[in-house]
């Protein structure tokens, strides 16, 4: 696991994002997800205890709260490696929901056999699978169930993550658009006085930098025209223009945007690396069978696109 993972996700959840594909979907990932979790929630016994692994900003506890409104019907604990914002900032000020920041799935701080249901949505696959699974089974009651939604290696989110990751790599490359924009920001500061402008006009290095920046911008335009997911390129262009309009504060904005891209790069590359293929899912199922559980797998599609595996074990 990358040592930066907890900080990167902490910064992401601090933005107020409601789930990890913020920007592509609204409150939840989509109808197929809500329907899968709806069936899982409907089978919960009254007063059930639920544990959400890798809860992030609590997308699943929030969904369960909307599906099972009755007080006392259930209680949900959510754990995550990241530092999570306070519940009221996440719209989770609900006495039935308890989020645990800075908590690793591989070492759960709960007694054995205390949960009726352990769930995870795009989470468990990021962990050490053998450890995470044995911890999940330890805290599950004997007749408890495990319900997982896992990244599928050939799904839309994985394909988008690959494409966006490659755009970000180009933007952050040495002498890429971000480096050139930082250089241009320095030139813009020098151009704030008549004397500065005169000097710039006679500075061949400044002229060369302007030409390289313009060429990089044109390259981005071409990529935007041909890419099937140009969002990050549009966003980069806007962030740079905004920084240029902010005067001296523009350098800090560019620096903050660079950090944002570096964080996104780590999240996207981890998403691709940890996505589950047929062989990995079979391994997971074998581990569950070895512990005496039956499993049931399915594919989740949204608007005709493959989105994830679902796996039920009981
Ligand atoms: C893709 S997000 C999913 C969040 C949420 N389940 C959702 O559906 O929006 C993955 C989350 O897993 C957390 N995570 C990764 N490895 C972890 C670990 N070993 N223990 C606990 N949380 C972990 C990250 O901090 C991140 O918040």
């Amino acid at each position: 696991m990358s040592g930066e993972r907890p900080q990167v996700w902490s910064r992401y959840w601090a933005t107020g994002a409601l789930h990890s594909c913020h920007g592509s979907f609204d409150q939840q990932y989509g109808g197929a997800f809500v329907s899968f979790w709806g069936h899982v929630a409907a089978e919960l016994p009254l007063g059930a205890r639920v544990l959400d692994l890798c809860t992030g900003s609590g997308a699943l506890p929030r969904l369960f709260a909307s599906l099972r409104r009755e007080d006392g019907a259930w209680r949900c604990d959510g754990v995550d490696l990241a530092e999570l914002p306070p519940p009221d900032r996440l719209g989770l000020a609900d006495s039935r929901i308890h989020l645990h920041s800075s908590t690793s799935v591989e070492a759960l701080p709960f007694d054995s056999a205390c949960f009726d249901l352990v769930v995870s949505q795009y989470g468990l696959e990021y962990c050490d699978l053998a450890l995470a699974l044995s911890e999940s089974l330890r805290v599950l009651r004997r007749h408890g169930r495990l319900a997982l939604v896992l990244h599928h290696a050939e799904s839309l989110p994985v394909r988008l993550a690959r494409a966006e990751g490659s755009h970000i790599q180009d933007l952050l490359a040495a002498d890429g658009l971000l480096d050139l924009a930082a250089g241009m920001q320095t030139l813009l500061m020098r151009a704030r006085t008549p004397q500065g402008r005169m000097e710039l006009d006679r500075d061949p290095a400044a002229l060369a930098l302007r030409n390289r920046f313009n060429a990089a911008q044109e390259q981005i335009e071409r990529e935007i025209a041909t890419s099937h997911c140009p969002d990050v390129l549009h966003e980069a262009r806007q962030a740079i223009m905004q920084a240029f309009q902010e005067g001296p504060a523009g350098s800090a904005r560019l620096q903050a945007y660079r950090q944002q891209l570096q964080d996104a790069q780590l999240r996207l590359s981890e998403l691709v690396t940890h996505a589950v293929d047929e062989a990995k899912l079979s391994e997971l199922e074998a581990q569950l069978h070895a512990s005496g559980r039956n499993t049931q797998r399915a594919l989740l599609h949204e608007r005709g696109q493959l989105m994830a595996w679902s796996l039920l074990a009981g």
Side-chain angles (χ1 to χ4, degrees):
M1 162 174 80
S2 158
E4 290 170 284
R5 187 192 284 177
Q7 288 77 22
V8 165
W9 280 108
S10 302
R11 284 194 286 269
Y12 180 77
W13 298 123
T15 64
L18 291 182
H19 57 68
S20 59
C21 286
H22 191 64
S24 306
F25 296 92
D26 299 332
Q27 286 256 344
Q28 296 291 338
Y29 293 99
F33 291 74
V34 175
S35 156
F36 171 76
W37 291 118
H39 284 111
V40 172
E43 287 173 18
L44 277 179
L46 210 66
R49 275 196 74 185
V50 181
L51 173 63
D52 180 25
L53 307 173
C54 304
T55 192
S57 56
L60 283 186
R62 189 176 301 106
L63 180 60
F64 274 69
S66 70
L67 293 168
R68 298 283 308 242
R69 293 181 189 280
E70 325 90 276
D71 273 348
W74 57 281
R75 171 200 151 122
C76 184
D77 289 88
V79 298
D80 201 284
L81 210 52
E83 190 60 46
L84 305 174
D88 53 335
R89 270 211 57 213
L90 298 172
L92 287 175
D94 183 320
S95 60
R96 298 169 301 182
I97 298 173
H98 304 267
L99 298 192
H100 307 258
S101 290
S102 313
T103 302
S104 158
V105 168
E106 290 86 343
L108 292 171
F110 302 107
D111 291 340
S112 297
C114 62
F115 290 100
D116 301 281
L117 174 68
V118 173
V119 296
S120 180
Q121 174 170 270
Y122 291 153
L124 188 93
E125 62 273 46
Y126 288 86
C127 307
D128 175 317
L129 267 186
L131 273 179
L133 207 55
S134 93
E135 273 297 81
S136 305
L137 294 174
R138 179 184 68 75
V139 299
L140 257 188
R141 293 197 170 119
R142 209 157 81 81
H143 297 293
R145 294 179 90 200
L146 181 66
L148 306 172
V149 165
L150 302 159
H151 280 297
H152 188 302
E154 284 150 37
S155 63
L156 178 68
V158 174
R159 281 182 279 128
L160 287 179
R162 273 209 187 87
E164 291 209 334
S166 144
H167 287 324
I168 294 177
Q169 193 174 342
D170 292 346
L171 289 167
L172 290 174
D175 232 17
L177 192 67
L178 262 273
D179 270 5
L180 294 169
M184 283 297 290
Q185 172 70 17
T186 315
L187 296 191
L188 289 172
M189 290 306 96
R190 283 172 63 194
R192 282 160 74 88
T193 62
Q195 172 72 19
R197 281 196 289 279
M198 226 162 56
E199 283 169 15
L200 277 179
D201 285 342
R202 290 191 226 109
D203 182 346
L207 181 63
L209 177 62
R210 265 201 305 263
N211 288 339
R212 280 182 8 249
F213 177 72
N214 290 338
Q217 290 263 66
E218 285 164 17
Q219 174 63 23
I220 295 285
E221 296 293 333
R222 283 193 290 275
E223 280 174 35
I224 286 179
T226 55
S227 171
H228 63 285
C229 59
D231 290 5
V232 73
L233 302 175
H234 279 298
E235 181 197 276
R237 241 182 12 180
Q238 267 169 16
I240 290 169
M241 285 312 134
Q242 200 173 343
F244 287 172
Q245 283 159 14
E246 283 183 3
S251 329
R253 175 172 290 275
L254 282 177
Q255 198 48 42
Y257 184 60
R258 179 182 289 277
Q259 172 77 69
Q260 206 179 304
L261 283 181
Q262 285 166 341
D263 283 1
Q265 194 173 33
L266 183 128
R267 291 196 313 272
L268 295 172
S269 85
E270 286 211 335
L271 189 165
V272 172
T273 313
H274 294 276
V276 175
D277 60 13
E278 173 68 41
K280 203 155 148 190
L281 189 72
S282 300
E283 235 175 84
L284 198 60
E285 287 168 329
Q287 244 180 294
L288 287 161
H289 298 158
S291 72
R293 309 263 167 177
N294 293 318
T295 60
Q296 193 187 333
R297 66 156 90 169
L299 296 172
L300 288 188
H301 287 88
E302 202 57 58
R303 297 171 224 157
Q305 296 279 0
L306 176 60
M307 293 296 291
W309 299 103
S310 67
L311 185 65
L312 288 169

